[in-house]
């Protein structure tokens, strides 16, 4: 009999009694819908195993909790702010309070925040932001979320691969291919990438799409600069400074999110490098500020608010037999930050 982290769960009682989780829950709560014989057997098995019914679990299973939790990597990143707006909009329509936590892309901190939300008796947990290429990095969080769902809670994630729950998946691989194809179509071949940590699945996926486009053009990603830095505005500044110092022949930079692209543009402005006359810059996400930059940012548009909306709507549905997957589209948005390289 499998137990989550040594804790006896309702599913363990149900398995031992040979009934469904729903039947076990009804039997232990005294609800209608099970025969007297089944109810007696479940209670007997529960007593033998030492199972104590959890009032919190019953409230979750019944949908009584009126709060949900949202975990984001960087609350100051416009990408996550726009996702949060989508979650908050659905929450308001459904009469739910949304608790927002900031993880800083630290797996240990993410685990702490997940546990805090569960302790605060949220009805559902939404996790937005990249997972990690090595699934072992997320194992503790995955186990915690599994126990939460077993107790009646619901979980949905945005842009994660390895958590085994309902997921809304941005078009990261196709989007990476699209933005790279655009830069190549302008005639650029000396391209550099301002990337977040290569341990992040979002970075890996967007680079995989870029590699597809480069390969079709007879180029290889391995032959081009890929500069790792934090997946933030400051990280974009650091990456751009390195590209200028170490790869001065570069004519185009593809930043793997808009926040990094904004940082890159700031460094180019400080150093007097004209965009796009001397250096083209492209981003990814199309945050609200992107069209108001000078020059306005060429980027890949993801429907960020919709990502948040869809994730919470998914989490409010009953759990399915298998995790649901919902893909979202992307669109190339060409603005003034990219142009053909200077001859």
């Amino acid at each position: 009999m499998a137990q989550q982290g040594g804790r006896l769960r309702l599913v363990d009682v149900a398995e031992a009694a040979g009934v469904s989780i729903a039947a076990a829950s009804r039997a232990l709560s005294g609800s209608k819908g099970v025969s007297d014989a089944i109810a007696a057997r479940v209670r007997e098995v529960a007593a033998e195993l030492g199972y104590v019914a959890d009032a919190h679990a019953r409230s979750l299973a019944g949908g009584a909790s009126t709060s949900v939790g949202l975990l984001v990597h960087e609350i100051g990143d416009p990408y996550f702010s726009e996702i949060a707006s989508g979650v908050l909009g659905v929450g308001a329509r459904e009469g739910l309070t949304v608790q927002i936590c900031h993880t800083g892309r630290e797996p240990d901190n993410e685990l702490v925040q997940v546990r805090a939300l569960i302790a605060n008796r949220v009805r559902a947990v939404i996790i937005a932001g990249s997972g990690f290429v090595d699934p072992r990095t997320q194992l503790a969080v995955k186990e915690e979320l599994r126990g939460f769902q077993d107790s009646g809670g619901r979980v949905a994630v945005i842009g994660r691969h390895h958590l085994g729950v309902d997921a809304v998946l941005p078009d990261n691989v196709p989007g990476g291919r699209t933005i790279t194809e655009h830069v190549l179509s302008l005639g650029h071949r000396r391209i550099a990438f301002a990337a977040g940590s290569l341990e992040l699945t979002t970075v890996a996926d967007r680079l995989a799409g870029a590699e597809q486009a480069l390969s079709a053009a007879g180029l290889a990603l391995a032959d081009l600069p890929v500069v790792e830095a934090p997946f933030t505005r400051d990280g974009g500044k650091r990456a751009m400074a390195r590209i200028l110092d170490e790869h001065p022949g570069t004519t185009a930079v593809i930043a793997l999110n808009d926040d990094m692209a904004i940082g890159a543009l700031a460094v180019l402005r400080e150093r007097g490098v004209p965009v796009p006359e001397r250096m083209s810059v492209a981003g990814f996400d199309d945050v609200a500020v992107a069209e108001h930059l000078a020059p306005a940012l060429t980027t890949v548009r993801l429907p960020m608010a919709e990502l948040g909306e869809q994730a919470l709507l998914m989490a409010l549905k009953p759990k399915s037999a298998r995790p649901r997957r919902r893909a979202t589209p992307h669109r190339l948005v060409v603005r003034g930050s990219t142009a053909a390289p200077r001859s």
Side-chain angles (χ1 to χ4, degrees):
M1 182 186 305
Q3 294 183 24
Q4 176 63 33
R7 297 173 297 181
L8 194 66
R9 305 167 300 169
L10 179 61
V11 66
D12 302 314
V13 175
E15 289 177 357
V19 299
S20 68
I21 295 176
S25 177
R26 294 189 188 102
L28 293 174
S29 64
S31 302
K32 297 179 180 180
V34 294
S35 68
D36 292 342
I38 289 177
R41 182 165 80 251
V42 171
R43 287 194 293 269
E44 181 181 354
V45 168
E48 291 175 354
L49 294 176
Y51 174 78
V52 178
D54 184 349
H56 175 215
R58 288 202 301 269
S59 72
L60 289 174
S65 175
T66 58
S67 65
V68 297
L70 170 64
L71 274 72
V72 299
H73 285 330
E74 299 283 348
I75 192 60
D77 185 330
Y79 174 83
F80 294 109
S81 298
E82 293 183 38
I83 285 175
S85 72
V87 174
L88 289 165
V90 173
R93 294 198 301 271
E94 299 293 330
L96 299 170
T97 300
V98 180
Q99 302 179 43
I100 302 178
C101 300
H102 169 104
T103 69
R105 295 189 178 87
E106 292 292 336
D108 291 343
N109 191 33
E110 184 171 88
L111 179 61
V112 169
Q113 298 292 352
V114 166
R115 286 174 172 167
L117 288 173
I118 293 172
N120 285 335
R121 302 192 172 192
V122 295
R123 176 175 175 178
V125 172
I126 310 296
I127 302 180
S130 179
F132 298 87
V133 172
D134 184 350
R136 293 172 297 182
T137 306
Q138 302 169 111
L139 186 59
V141 168
K142 182 177 182 178
E143 294 299 311
E144 197 73 29
L145 294 175
R146 181 179 297 161
F148 176 61
Q149 290 203 120
D150 286 344
S151 73
R154 292 287 292 112
V155 179
V157 297
I158 300 169
R160 304 293 281 260
H161 294 305
H162 303 309
L163 292 180
V165 297
D166 289 349
V168 181
L169 300 175
D171 241 356
N172 285 325
V173 174
R177 182 174 62 246
T178 295
I179 195 66
T180 307
E181 286 173 343
H182 165 69
V183 172
L184 289 167
S185 73
L186 295 172
H188 293 280
R189 292 299 182 268
R190 290 176 292 174
I191 303 167
F193 292 85
S197 169
L198 299 182
E199 296 178 357
L200 298 174
T201 53
T202 295
V203 173
D205 289 347
R206 292 178 181 183
L207 283 175
E211 189 163 25
Q212 292 174 5
L214 292 167
S215 179
L219 301 174
L221 182 64
D223 295 331
L224 300 177
V226 177
V227 180
E228 272 189 271
F231 215 26
T232 63
R233 196 165 303 182
D234 284 343
K237 290 181 178 179
R238 287 161 54 179
M240 190 71 251
R242 279 190 55 192
I243 291 167
L244 290 174
D245 294 341
E246 299 173 15
H247 308 281
T250 299
T251 62
V253 171
I254 299 175
L256 296 187
N257 72 6
D258 284 351
D259 221 21
M260 293 192 84
I262 293 169
L265 287 170
V267 170
L268 291 168
R269 186 166 55 250
E270 290 168 3
R271 296 206 185 182
V273 179
V275 177
E277 293 82 3
R278 165 63 182 81
M279 183 80 73
S280 285
V281 177
F284 201 117
D285 294 331
D286 197 26
V287 298
V289 72
E291 65 178 315
H292 302 296
L293 299 171
L297 183 64
T298 293
T299 186
V300 168
R301 176 174 295 168
L302 295 179
M304 276 126 9
E306 183 183 334
L307 295 177
E309 292 172 358
Q310 293 301 322
L312 181 50
L313 289 172
M314 195 178 282
L316 295 179
K317 294 179 180 179
K319 184 180 178 182
S320 60
R322 292 184 178 181
R324 291 173 279 241
R325 295 286 183 268
R326 180 161 297 166
T328 58
H330 75 280
R331 182 163 70 86
L332 176 67
V333 180
V334 180
R335 299 191 179 106
S337 67
T338 53
R342 184 175 57 186
S343 57

